[in-house]
Amino acid sequence: MLIQEIDNIRDLAPHLHDIQSWLNIYVENIAASLLKPYYQAYTNLVRNTDSSITGIDYIIGNLCRIEWKNTQEGIYNDRTDWKNLTFKYAIDCLDKQVARINNCEYENSLKADLITRIFIWIIENGRISFSQAQLNAAKQALLPLWEQSRFEMRYVYPNR
């Protein structure tokens, strides 16, 4: 299904999986300009997910793997504290990633991979309340990133 034709949020997942596969093998930094609208649109899209989502430990675990510049604003590293973390906390962390990438020229592909894994999990496992405008913004932000991933997987990394 073409991205422009998507009207069900779960139909975004296969495209996100394509991007995540590409990010998983992409060894260089990625231009932040390609990721800024993606991070913003998807954070906005998943913002109103039912907080009872299963797998909050998976979401927090991926957020923990992202290196934060200011560790006092970072994610809890002690797993015993995870039981106190909420989905709201995860969204706050994603908001910080949006703010951070707006001040970057490049993004490490591992960070982009981990953030994409979070978006995939939420879309596949969450009950998300979203507007048509949020879905449209997500599709628009996804298209250039997905096209770049498809191009590179086909022509730059065909044997991986």
Side-chain angles (χ1 to χ4, degrees), residues 19-142:
I19 290 168
Q20 190 274 321
S21 295
W22 168 66
L23 291 168
N24 198 28
I25 66 163
Y26 195 70
V27 292
E28 304 208 11
N29 290 331
I30 300 167
S33 61
L34 194 58
L35 295 169
K36 288 174 187 178
Y38 167 66
Y39 282 14
Q40 181 68 61
Y42 279 78
T43 298
N44 286 341
L45 184 65
V46 302
R47 182 174 307 287
N48 295 317
T49 299
D50 186 324
S51 63
S52 66
I53 186 172
T54 60
I56 190 69
D57 54 336
Y58 176 80
I59 295 167
I60 299 298
N62 280 311
L63 287 167
C64 282
R65 293 179 60 198
I66 298 170
E67 295 175 4
W68 292 79
K69 287 185 181 179
N70 184 347
T71 57
Q72 280 146 339
E73 290 182 352
I75 307 284
Y76 289 101
N77 289 322
D78 183 0
R79 290 181 182 252
T80 60
D81 288 337
W82 285 16
K83 64 182 178 244
N84 298 322
L85 299 180
T86 63
F87 187 74
K88 181 186 178 321
Y89 181 80
I91 292 297
D92 290 345
C93 291
L94 287 172
D95 282 335
K96 289 177 184 173
Q97 290 301 314
V98 170
R100 180 191 55 78
I101 199 163
N102 282 323
N103 297 314
C104 296
E105 259 187 82
Y106 296 97
E107 174 76 304
N108 178 283
S109 61
L110 175 61
K111 289 180 184 179
D113 177 9
L114 294 170
I115 290 173
T116 299
R117 288 172 189 258
I118 292 165
F119 292 146
I120 291 169
W121 184 270
I122 295 169
I123 287 170
E124 289 181 342
N125 296 287
R127 287 189 312 260
I128 305 171
S129 298
F130 61 93
S131 68
Q132 186 63 47
Q134 287 172 311
L135 180 61
N136 291 343
K139 293 187 310 187
Q140 185 177 4
L142 183 65

